[in-house]
Amino acid sequence: TIADMKGVKQGRLRIAAVTTTKYFMPRLLGPFCKQYPGIDVALEVINRNRLLERLARNQDDLYIMGVPPEGLDIECEPFMENPLVVLAPADHPLARRKRIPFAALGSEPFIVRERGSGTRLTLERVFQEHSVPLTIRMELGSNEAIKQAVAGGLGLAVLSQSTLSLEPGEKDLRILDVVGFPIRRHWYVVRLRDKPLSVVAQTFLDFLRSHVTLLSPRAPQVGRAASRRRHGEW
Ligand code: PGA
């Protein structure tokens, strides 16, 4: 468009992002939208399976997810750490132990995300790799609800560290020191390889690359990564 040619960043940016990104995506969009007031962002927050459907139908410009699919003609770029941690209620006996062997998780009930969630997929894969049985006490479609269920003593959970903001109530939760955890993963920005990038999509990609590369999932402010890393905050 003429606006693009003049270098005025204008237009609609469509992003689909998995459920767990709700802890940082809206906050990232704050400074982006301030910098580019002409860009109108539509953010769709859904689980991994629904995101893959949107990707297959070419419904958005960019997709944000933790477990990119195999066998699709896509470009995917990691832009932020996305570790998975084991959560327990603060008064759980394992909460005081160090270097808990993975096998100990086999005798604990778990509160898990719904099928179709990337978190659930990774959880099942990891238990399978360790040949440890996964006992599912309850399935819940929301990270928030899972944290509350864990705090309430219903079981343990494996969730992205991105879900742990410093909210009131989180004093009831502990991250367990299980061997093999945190599981190191990343958040990826994904797009269809054949789809030409619009100027606004390119602008957002550049924004992610230049501002967010080393960002800690626990501190989703823009541009503070280097100092946080130096201070060992993750
Ligand atoms: P989910 O995805 O919100 O669908 O569980 C998170 C992830 O893939 O890390």
Side-chain angles (χ1 to χ4, degrees), residues 4-199:
D4 287 348
M5 280 157 51
K6 283 203 213 136
V8 182
K9 315 283 194 195
Q10 233 172 22
R12 171 159 276 227
L13 172 62
R14 289 184 179 280
I15 303 175
V18 291
T19 321
T20 307
T21 66
K22 77 166 194 183
Y23 294 91
F24 61 87
M25 274 305 285
R27 286 222 238 165
L28 280 183
L29 290 173
F32 177 75
C33 292
K34 244 181 233 147
Q35 195 172 339
Y36 302 102
I39 298 181
D40 163 29
V41 182
L43 174 67
E44 200 59 58
V45 181
I46 47 186
N47 79 16
R48 180 175 182 274
N49 270 11
R50 296 204 33 227
L51 183 143
L52 293 181
E53 286 166 21
R54 292 187 68 92
L55 177 67
R57 290 197 211 110
N58 186 15
Q59 283 178 289
D60 308 275
D61 299 304
L62 299 170
Y63 303 83
I64 312 287
M65 62 194 309
V67 191
E70 278 160 31
L72 282 183
D73 204 9
I74 54 172
E75 300 267 5
C76 60
E77 229 180 277
F79 66 93
M80 193 165 94
E81 312 249 339
N82 179 20
L84 279 186
V85 296
V86 187
L87 294 177
D91 59 2
H92 194 282
L94 289 179
R96 288 188 307 271
R97 281 182 52 192
K98 298 261 177 251
R99 311 281 304 156
I100 302 161
F102 194 106
L105 300 182
S107 35
E108 297 291 332
F110 276 79
I111 321 292
V112 300
R113 284 280 305 275
E114 78 286 3
R115 274 181 197 281
S117 132
T119 308
R120 169 77 174 264
L121 184 70
T122 312
L123 171 69
E124 289 184 340
R125 280 185 188 162
V126 169
F127 271 69
Q128 239 161 42
E129 276 164 23
H130 284 83
S131 309
V132 168
L134 172 63
T135 308
I136 295 177
R137 157 77 61 85
M138 189 184 283
E139 187 177 288
L140 290 170
S142 135
N143 293 317
E144 270 332 287
I146 291 177
K147 288 194 304 186
Q148 294 302 324
V150 172
L154 278 174
L156 307 188
V158 171
L159 291 182
S160 166
Q161 198 176 301
S162 300
T163 65
L164 299 175
S165 49
L166 301 168
E167 288 167 15
E170 280 185 3
K171 56 179 176 1
D172 303 338
L173 294 176
R174 291 291 176 273
I175 295 178
L176 294 187
D177 180 13
V178 178
V179 176
F181 284 89
I183 296 170
R184 262 199 91 217
R185 307 192 310 155
H186 288 91
W187 288 114
Y188 295 87
V189 58
V190 173
R191 61 198 162 88
L192 290 173
R193 201 187 298 275
D194 291 342
K195 180 166 177 155
L197 268 181
S198 68
V199 171

